[in-house]
Amino acid sequence: LGYDDTAFYYFVVSVLTCVAVPWTLSFLYSFLRHGRADADSEFPRKSSEFGTKLKYCRTAAMVEKVDTSRAEAKRFTARTGLVYLIQTVLLSIIWAGIFGTMTQLGHEKEIQKFDPFEILDVTPQSSASQIKRAYRKLSLNYHPDKNPDDPLAASRFIQITKAYQALTDEISKRNWEKFGNPDGPQVNKVGIGLPRFLLEKENHLMILCSFFFVIVILVPMTFICYYQNSRNFAVNGVMIETLQFLGFYIGESARAENGPELLAACAESRSMGTKPWDNAHLKKLAGHVIEHKKR
C-alpha cells in the first residue's frame, strides 16, 4: 500500500473540475442574463400558463414604466458587483489551481511502475559490484532502525530490497521481466491517491493540528450553529415565535386593517437589520403629505 503523488494530482484535478465547470457555467449564465428574472417577474414577456407573448399598453407612460423597470432590474448595484467580484476571484483561484496541478502533472511520471534500475539509481549497463554498492548505500540510509519515525523509510527500504533481488536473484529477475514484479504475478495493486508529505515526519504536527481543528472544533461548531438556528423555525420555515404570536392575536375579532401591524410585530420583521437609507423614500413621501386641519 503506497502513497502516490501522481494519483493525488489526478484526484485534485477531478474534484476541482467537478466544482469549477458547473459553477463557471452558472456564473456566466447569471452574469449574461443579469436582472432578466427580476424584470420578467414584474412585467413578464410571456404568459407562464399558456406561453404566449404578452403585449402591454403602448402609451408613453406605460412604455416608460416598463422600460424603467427593466433597466432598474438590469442595473448593477454595489452589492451585486461585490458578489460577482467575489465569485470571479474564487473561480480564478480554482481554475489557477487546476492549471497549476495539470502543469505539475506534466512534470510527474505516470503512476509508478516497478523499475529496479531507477530505485537503485543505476543504469542497465551497471556491473554487479556497482549494483551491490548502490544497494548497500541506499539500504543504510533508509533502514527502518535508523528512521523509526519515518513510515516512508520502511516502504522505501522494502522497495530497495526488492529492486536488488530483481537484479541479482534469478527467480526474482524472471518474475520481474515476466510480470513486472519480483514477487511474481499480483492479483491487484492498491494505492492511495494522497501525497507523500502526509507521512513525512516534519509534517506530522501540522496534520495533527489540522485534524484536531476539523474534528474537535469545526465539525461540532457547525452542528451547534445549525441546531441553534433551526430550532427557532417550524417545519414550514416560519419562526416559532411568529406562529405563537399570530395564533394568539388572530381570531374572529381580527380585522384586515390590522394586518400590517401584525406583520411588523412578527419575529422576522423585528430581527431585520436596519440601514441608514431605509427611510429615504419615507422622508420624501412625508414631505408631500398634507395634514388636514381640525374643525
Side-chain angles (χ1 to χ4, degrees):
L1 188 65
Y3 282 68
D4 198 331
D5 290 336
T6 306
F8 172 70
Y9 293 142
Y10 280 112
F11 173 75
V12 170
V13 170
S14 301
V15 172
L16 291 180
T17 303
C18 291
V19 174
V21 171
W23 191 2
T24 303
L25 293 177
S26 175
F27 172 77
L28 293 176
Y29 180 81
S30 62
F31 181 79
L32 295 176
R33 293 178 56 88
H34 172 72
R36 185 74 60 85
D38 294 336
D40 290 344
S41 63
E42 186 174 0
F43 295 101
R45 301 175 186 272
K46 291 185 179 181
S47 173
S48 59
E49 184 176 358
F50 303 104
T52 56
K53 186 175 180 180
L54 299 178
K55 294 183 179 180
Y56 296 95
C57 177
R58 301 304 299 174
T59 60
M62 189 62 185
V63 171
E64 183 181 0
K65 183 177 181 180
V66 174
D67 293 342
T68 303
S69 175
R70 290 176 177 173
E72 287 289 336
K74 295 180 180 180
R75 182 179 300 175
F76 283 90
T77 62
R79 181 178 180 181
T80 306
L82 179 61
V83 172
Y84 280 126
L85 178 62
I86 293 175
Q87 292 189 51
T88 303
V89 171
L90 292 178
L91 284 172
S92 300
I93 293 174
I94 293 176
W95 280 112
I98 292 175
F99 287 116
T101 307
M102 293 178 65
T103 303
Q104 185 65 28
L105 268 175
H107 300 295
E108 290 285 331
K109 297 178 180 178
E110 289 297 323
I111 296 177
Q112 301 170 358
K113 296 181 180 179
F114 185 83
D115 186 354
F117 297 105
E118 182 180 352
I119 295 173
L120 295 177
D121 195 18
V122 294
T123 62
Q125 294 77 25
S126 300
S127 62
S129 59
Q130 292 175 329
I131 294 174
K132 188 174 184 179
R133 192 181 308 113
Y135 164 71
R136 286 182 176 179
K137 178 181 178 181
L138 293 174
S139 61
L140 288 175
N141 291 337
Y142 291 98
H143 198 281
D145 293 341
K146 289 189 175 182
N147 304 274
D149 300 325
D150 188 1
L152 284 177
S155 175
R156 179 67 173 168
F157 180 78
I158 294 174
Q159 280 190 328
I160 293 169
T161 303
K162 288 186 176 183
Y164 180 70
Q165 292 174 353
L167 297 179
T168 56
D169 184 74
E170 290 298 328
I171 297 177
S172 298
K173 187 174 183 179
R174 283 199 301 268
N175 287 334
W176 169 60
E177 291 175 347
K178 186 175 181 180
F179 304 107
N181 192 295
D183 297 331
Q186 302 292 310
V187 177
N188 57 7
K189 182 179 179 181
V190 180
I192 302 177
L194 293 175
R196 294 180 181 273
F197 74 83
L198 293 177
L199 290 179
E200 294 178 356
K201 182 179 178 181
E202 55 269 19
N203 297 327
H204 286 177
L205 181 60
M206 179 193 68
I207 296 171
L208 182 61
C209 293
S210 302
F211 181 80
F212 177 84
F213 174 76
V214 172
I215 299 300
V216 180
I217 299 177
L218 185 60
V219 173
M221 287 299 298
T222 302
F223 280 101
I224 290 174
C225 293
Y226 174 77
Y227 172 74
Q228 291 290 341
N229 185 57
S230 62
R231 71 173 184 173
N232 296 325
F233 293 87
V235 180
N236 56 4
V238 181
M239 295 186 71
I240 296 176
E241 184 180 350
T242 298
L243 292 178
Q244 295 173 347
F245 168 75
L246 295 178
F248 180 80
Y249 281 100
I250 295 180
E252 295 180 356
S253 59
R255 303 174 63 181
E257 62 185 19
N258 295 330
E261 296 179 4
L262 293 175
L263 291 177
C266 292
E268 286 85 350
S269 299
R270 289 185 281 108
S271 61
M272 291 176 61
T274 58
K275 300 176 182 177
W277 56 85
D278 284 343
N279 296 327
H281 296 290
L282 291 177
K283 291 179 179 179
K284 294 180 180 179
L285 181 62
H288 297 281
V289 175
I290 300 176
E291 185 177 359
H292 295 282
K293 296 181 179 180
K294 295 183 180 180
R295 296 182 180 179

